[in-house]
Amino acid sequence: MRTSVLPATLLAVALIQPALAADAPTAWTPELLMKVKRVSGVQVSPDGSRVAYVVAGALMEGEKSEWLSQVHVAKADGSGSFQLTQGEKSATAPAWSPDGKWIAFLSARGKEGKNNVWRIRADGGEAEQITEEKAAVSAFRFSPDGGRIAYLSADPKSDDEEKAEKEKRDARVVDADLKMIRLRVVSVERDEAGKRTPRALTPASFSVGNVGDAGDFEWSPDGRAIAFTHQPSPKIDDWPRADVSVVEVETATVRPLAATRAVEGEAHYSPDGKWIALAVSEEPPTWRRRERVALLPAEGSGAPKRLAASFDEQPRILGFTPDAKRVLVAETHRTVTSLTAVPVDGSAVQDLTPADMMVDGLNLNARGTHLGFTSQAPDRPAEAFVSPAGSFAPAQVSHAQDLPKLPFGPTESISWKAADGKTIEGLLTLPVGYQAGARVPLLVIVHGGPAGVFTRTFTGNPGPYPVAAFASRGYAVLRANIRGSSGYGFEFRNANFRDWGGA
């Protein structure tokens, strides 16, 4: 009688497979949230052929408990993707040089231990440190010719302050000993002495940037000037006093551009350098934020010319179209973030993206021809996308997610009439396998802000409320955009003013 013996390798596989099958998840769990990658910072090269983006993963082994971010690069059709940066320190905020040969980024990998500007060949290689600031660099921009980098960083701590911090004598008083954030410029290449010496372009009498938008500055197309937002100090309560000024790069001469009782910010030059688009608030500004895109002559002054109101009146300016006839903006529209165009002739705002598509983190490339962004849906995690700016045609670039194929509870938009007649909308996620008409337990999640908004994001995203996990356990989850929410226009956002929790 013949006896067959199972080879050792096959026997091992046979024993392991049932164990793997037993360990494989059959439903979404809170633990799976931490396997979802964070994709962000999608930047398209000047010629539109390649895309840089950031992928962050959770590190939870040994003593590690952090998100590690690295820059990736791919062709605009999604092919040829590779991880550009490496190491134990995160790399974020990628930016293409104007010739497309280099990618600069922020990282704390240097001896300073703070975020500084680095650059690396777009095809790969060793990264080179450009700035050496003791205080973290919060944002940077290449000059149009690629020879200089403008950046923001706070004034450094004094020797006594650093000593006290090392000795743990670092008690702090809120809003005391504030460090002004300054706009600085540095050459990309070293000088004859082998150094890069930065110059401060703004004085210590005000702080550059505004609450919620640390990178609020832009070079003029000819590289001679930089328009920037500033406020009296970095205090959060100083944001209503934000204005826009212009600084001549060679002389560091600052002149006011827009300084009214309104909040002015998000300055962007037209391609010919003749106009600057701004976001301008109502007067006086309030935390409920009501803004419009406005135009000012780049060389002049006076009251900004306000353009047509956008749907939510909270536009985030991306830049001009190449023909300078429209200003592209991102804004929340009910339960999605969308792309719209504001014509400079004052005509009505134009919607450019599908009504049900999320387009997060929109960025316009240097020539205004292409858009980089992420997109996600309640049953689909975020990935990087690219589209021509002239006619929206999204193409997926990244394939960063590696998640098990599991069922998700369907998410739908529902609305109802409140007692005072207002229409309230919410996102209802039903349990996995829900049968119509069945009675199930309901969880209600409330957003903060109060002007926050629930949008059609992936229900498996990392966060304090694991919606997908709740749905896998038989719960329905309602996320209501109650009065005061963004995304429904100013009057709705203003509806709980002096009536907190009332109607």
Side-chain angles (χ1 to χ4, degrees):
M1 184 176 71
R2 296 181 61 188
T3 305
S4 62
V5 179
L6 197 64
T9 52
L10 293 181
L11 179 61
V13 170
L15 291 172
I16 290 171
Q17 279 181 335
L20 290 176
D23 292 339
T26 57
W28 199 263
T29 65
E31 289 79 10
L32 283 173
L33 301 181
M34 305 311 296
K35 294 187 180 296
V36 179
K37 301 291 196 301
R38 292 177 174 176
V39 182
S40 63
V42 186
Q43 298 282 352
V44 185
S45 63
D47 65 2
S49 65
R50 290 184 293 176
V51 182
Y53 56 94
V54 176
V55 177
L59 296 183
M60 298 182 291
E61 299 297 329
E63 296 182 356
K64 295 285 187 180
S65 182
E66 61 189 66
W67 289 90
L68 181 64
S69 302
Q70 300 293 355
V71 178
H72 294 240
V73 175
K75 294 180 181 178
D77 61 5
S79 65
S81 63
F82 67 97
Q83 183 176 319
L84 179 66
T85 61
Q86 312 286 335
E88 296 182 355
K89 295 292 185 179
S90 287
T92 61
W96 293 88
S97 63
D99 61 8
K101 295 180 179 179
W102 297 87
I103 292 176
F105 60 92
L106 292 179
S107 181
R109 59 180 64 185
K111 65 180 184 300
E112 301 82 12
K114 304 289 185 180
N115 265 355
N116 270 285
V117 182
W118 295 68
R119 71 166 179 170
I120 187 172
R121 287 278 183 183
D123 296 327
E126 288 289 333
E128 178 187 16
Q129 187 170 355
I130 303 297
T131 65
E132 298 179 356
E133 295 291 338
K134 291 183 178 181
V137 173
S138 57
F140 69 95
R141 304 278 188 272
F142 272 104
S143 63
D145 64 3
R148 293 163 294 177
I149 286 177
Y151 63 95
L152 299 182
S153 65
D155 288 334
K157 296 177 181 178
S158 67
D159 292 342
D160 288 343
E161 287 171 329
E162 287 192 351
K163 181 181 179 182
E165 186 174 294
K166 290 178 181 178
E167 295 174 353
K168 303 302 180 185
R169 295 184 290 105
D170 53 358
R172 288 178 290 173
V173 177
V174 173
D175 288 344
D177 299 320
L178 292 171
K179 302 299 181 184
M180 295 298 188
I181 299 171
R182 310 275 289 277
L183 178 63
R184 295 174 167 86
V185 67
V186 67
S187 174
V188 172
E189 302 299 337
R190 298 181 186 275
D191 60 22
E192 294 180 354
K195 296 182 179 180
R196 297 184 179 95
T197 304
R199 288 191 298 119
L201 297 181
T202 56
S205 55
F206 55 74
S207 188
V208 179
N210 194 6
V211 175
D213 193 355
D216 196 355
F217 64 97
E218 185 175 85
W219 288 85
S220 63
D222 61 11
R224 295 181 178 179
I226 298 174
F228 62 95
T229 302
H230 56 92
Q231 57 187 57
S233 80
K235 294 179 183 178
I236 193 167
D237 286 336
D238 267 349
W239 73 268
R241 302 170 65 187
D243 296 319
V244 172
S245 293
V246 175
V247 60
E248 293 183 8
V249 177
E250 293 306 318
T251 64
T253 302
V254 176
R255 64 176 175 85
L257 181 73
T260 69
R261 292 178 63 240
V263 169
E264 296 101 358
E266 300 187 50
H268 286 264
Y269 281 89
S270 61
D272 60 9
K274 295 181 179 179
W275 295 92
I276 292 178
L278 306 169
V280 180
S281 77
E282 62 183 346
E283 295 184 24
T286 71
W287 279 101
R288 300 178 297 285
R289 303 301 281 254
R290 188 178 198 177
E291 300 174 341
R292 285 197 185 191
V293 178
L295 295 182
L296 265 176
E299 298 301 328
S301 59
K305 171 192 171 185
R306 298 184 183 230
L307 304 181
S310 58
F311 174 79
D312 199 39
E313 297 187 78
Q314 292 190 110
R316 182 177 72 84
I317 299 175
L318 307 176
F320 283 83
T321 54
D323 61 6
K325 292 183 178 180
R326 299 184 298 173
V327 179
L328 299 179
V329 304
E331 192 174 52
T332 306
H333 193 143
R334 294 176 57 183
T335 59
V336 298
T337 53
S338 59
L339 172 69
T340 58
V342 183
V344 299
D345 63 6
S347 56
V349 173
Q350 305 156 356
D351 294 329
L352 301 180
T353 48
D356 60 348
M357 183 178 183
M358 286 284 291
V359 284
D360 296 320
L362 281 155
N363 294 299
L364 190 63
N365 73 337
R367 298 176 188 172
T369 58
H370 288 78
L371 293 156
F373 58 95
T374 61
S375 185
Q376 57 186 304
D379 60 351
R380 175 172 52 82
E383 294 285 4
F385 284 74
V386 64
S387 170
S391 58
F392 191 73
Q396 184 172 334
V397 173
S398 72
H399 299 276
Q401 309 293 349
D402 183 19
L403 300 170
K405 295 189 180 300
L406 297 170
F408 287 87
T411 297
E412 59 187 58
S413 295
I414 63 170
S415 61
W416 59 93
K417 287 286 185 181
D420 61 356
K422 275 191 169 51
T423 299
I424 309 296
E425 185 176 31
L427 292 173
L428 177 64
T429 300
L430 296 169
V432 175
Y434 176 76
Q435 298 296 317
R439 291 174 64 85
V440 296
L442 175 69
L443 299 175
V444 178
I445 299 175
V446 182
H447 69 63
V453 59
F454 287 119
T455 54
R456 297 181 64 81
T457 54
F458 180 48
T459 56
N461 277 339
Y465 304 110
V467 175
F470 289 144
S472 73
R473 298 298 196 277
Y475 290 92
V477 181
L478 175 63
R479 292 168 287 163
N481 285 330
I482 55 176
R483 285 171 187 76
S485 299
S486 291
Y488 297 87
F490 176 76
E491 296 305 325
F492 189 85
R493 192 163 57 254
N494 192 50
N496 65 358
F497 180 58
R498 293 182 177 174
D499 188 31
W500 194 273

